[in-house]
Amino acid sequence: MKRALKTVYVALLVVAMILSLVACGKKPKVKKITTSTNKTKVEIEIGTSQEQLRDTLGEPSEVDFIEHYETYYIDGTQVYIYFDVDEEGNQVVSKVEVPKN
C-alpha cells in the first residue's frame, strides 16, 4: 500500500513539474487594441515594444516619465500609450487610452 501511495505521489510531482514548465514556456496572450480617432483606426498590440511603436507612429508629442506614458496626436485626437517593462528590461505597451471629449 505504501509503495502505491509513493508511486502516485511521484507521478503527481512529475505532472506538476511538466505543467509548470509548459506554463513558463508559453508567451502571454497578445491583446489587440483598436483605437478609433476621428478619421483613422489605429491598432496597437499589448506587448509591442516602444521602439516598434515609434517606428510606426514616429516620436511622441509628449512623454510623462512619472506615469510611464506617451502622448500621440492622431488626426487631432490625443492617444495615451502606457508602458510596462518586460523580462528583458524593454519598454512594452500595457494600455492605450483615448480620452473622451
Side-chain angles (χ1 to χ4, degrees), residues 54 59-64 69-73 78-80:
R54 288 187 177 179
E59 291 295 316
S61 300
E62 301 168 22
V63 176
D64 187 317
Y69 72 86
E70 297 177 347
T71 304
Y72 289 87
Y73 288 90
Q78 277 185 322
V79 178
Y80 300 116

Side-chain angles (χ1 to χ4, degrees), residues 1 4 17 25-26 30 33 41-42 51-52 60 70-71 74-76 81 84 86 90 92 96 100:
M1 183 70 159
M17 288 174 47
K26 284 186 179 177
V30 174
I33 295 176
K41 199 176 219 183
V42 179
E51 185 178 307
Q52 291 171 322
E70 297 177 347
T71 304
I74 302 170
D75 294 331
I81 301 176
D84 278 337
D86 66 4
N90 301 316
V92 295
V96 177
K100 304 272 187 221

Side-chain angles (χ1 to χ4, degrees), residues 14-33:
V14 169
V15 169
M17 288 174 47
I18 290 171
L19 289 175
S20 65
L21 288 174
V22 169
C24 289
K26 284 186 179 177
K27 289 185 178 180
K29 289 184 178 178
V30 174
K31 179 180 177 187
K32 288 188 178 181
I33 295 176

Side-chain angles (χ1 to χ4, degrees), residues 42-101:
V42 179
E43 195 170 277
I44 300 166
E45 292 182 3
I46 297 296
T48 300
S49 73
Q50 187 178 41
E51 185 178 307
Q52 291 171 322
L53 187 70
R54 288 187 177 179
D55 288 345
T56 304
L57 298 178
E59 291 295 316
S61 300
E62 301 168 22
V63 176
D64 187 317
F65 294 105
I66 296 170
E67 297 294 324
H68 304 288
Y69 72 86
E70 297 177 347
T71 304
Y72 289 87
Y73 288 90
I74 302 170
D75 294 331
T77 302
Q78 277 185 322
V79 178
Y80 300 116
I81 301 176
Y82 293 82
F83 294 92
D84 278 337
V85 178
D86 66 4
E87 306 86 42
E88 289 98 37
N90 301 316
Q91 294 274 342
V92 295
V93 174
S94 63
K95 179 173 117 178
V96 177
E97 188 177 283
V98 178
K100 304 272 187 221
N101 290 336

